[in-house]
Amino acid sequence: MSVHHTKTTRAIRRTIGFFEIIGLVIIAIATIYAGFAEVKHMVNTATVTLGDLLLLFLYLEVLAMVAIYLDSGKLPIRLPLYIAIIAMARYLILDMKELSEWEMLAVGITIILISLAILALRYGSLRFPSEDRLGPRWKAPELLTQSKSNSDIDTITEQQNKDKGTEKK
């Protein structure tokens, strides 16, 4: 399915893409700063707790999510859900003494529900794959379709040549 873009829509897409990149860079810088601050805190106190490690892991997941979005232009919905599970586990571990039994149960059920949502999303993506977008909106759609179709054409041509060679024998 081909979509015709006017000069105006292309300019709007590039402008939005520019602001997306700025936002992602700000998120990445803030995450790196927070990670360094946490490491500095661990060095100053000379202790490393499970909460510290989980927080660093959360920072790494956020950076991975930013990198994936910059590469593909798509936000894999499962990554924020993984981050939510880690955050809930961190909350449960750090605040266990202050939580009532019902609050701990609620956090545990929340983790289970998020896990089930991830399983449902994974099943849906395998069962019903989507090809709605080819790449980031700051890249020209024409270039993305050309590069993909050229490699596909080469693969199809090679396969046809192999098939012709086997039919003659």
Side-chain angles (χ1 to χ4, degrees):
M1 178 170 92
S2 178
V3 177
H4 178 69
H5 294 284
T6 64
K7 288 182 181 182
T8 305
T9 57
R10 277 188 287 238
I12 291 170
R13 287 173 58 91
R14 286 191 183 121
T15 303
I16 291 172
F18 175 74
F19 284 109
E20 280 179 341
I21 291 172
I22 289 173
L24 290 170
V25 168
I26 290 170
I27 291 169
I29 290 170
T31 304
I32 291 168
Y33 177 79
F36 279 126
E38 183 64 26
V39 169
K40 182 180 175 188
H41 170 73
M42 289 187 303
V43 169
N44 289 341
T45 60
T47 60
V48 178
T49 65
L50 183 58
D52 296 332
L53 294 176
L54 288 173
L55 189 58
L56 289 175
F57 189 69
L58 284 170
Y59 294 148
L60 288 174
E61 287 294 319
V62 169
L63 287 175
M65 191 169 54
V66 168
I68 289 171
Y69 190 75
L70 281 172
D71 285 344
S72 68
K74 298 177 184 177
L75 180 64
I77 189 63
R78 288 187 313 225
L79 275 180
L81 294 176
Y82 294 143
I83 292 170
I85 289 174
I86 296 166
M88 295 299 292
R90 183 177 184 272
Y91 172 68
L92 188 62
I93 291 167
L94 294 180
D95 295 336
M96 187 179 291
K97 293 178 183 175
E98 290 86 32
L99 296 176
S100 71
E101 293 85 12
W102 288 106
E103 290 170 328
M104 285 189 270
L105 187 62
V107 171
I109 290 171
T110 302
I111 291 172
I112 290 170
L113 288 174
I114 295 171
S115 301
L116 291 173
I118 291 171
L119 286 174
L121 288 168
R122 181 70 177 141
Y123 174 78
S125 68
L126 290 174
R127 183 84 168 115
F128 309 105
S130 170
E131 295 182 23
D132 55 341
R133 269 189 31 187
L134 296 173
R137 70 174 61 90
W138 52 85
K139 290 186 180 176
E142 298 82 19
L143 294 176
L144 292 168
T145 56
Q146 286 175 356
S147 64
K148 184 176 181 182
S149 61
N150 287 343
S151 63
D152 290 343
I153 290 170
D154 292 341
T155 305
I156 292 169
T157 306
E158 288 174 12
Q159 185 60 40
Q160 288 174 344
N161 290 340
K162 287 181 184 177
D163 291 343
K164 286 180 184 176
T166 56
E167 288 175 6
K168 291 180 182 178
K169 292 181 180 180

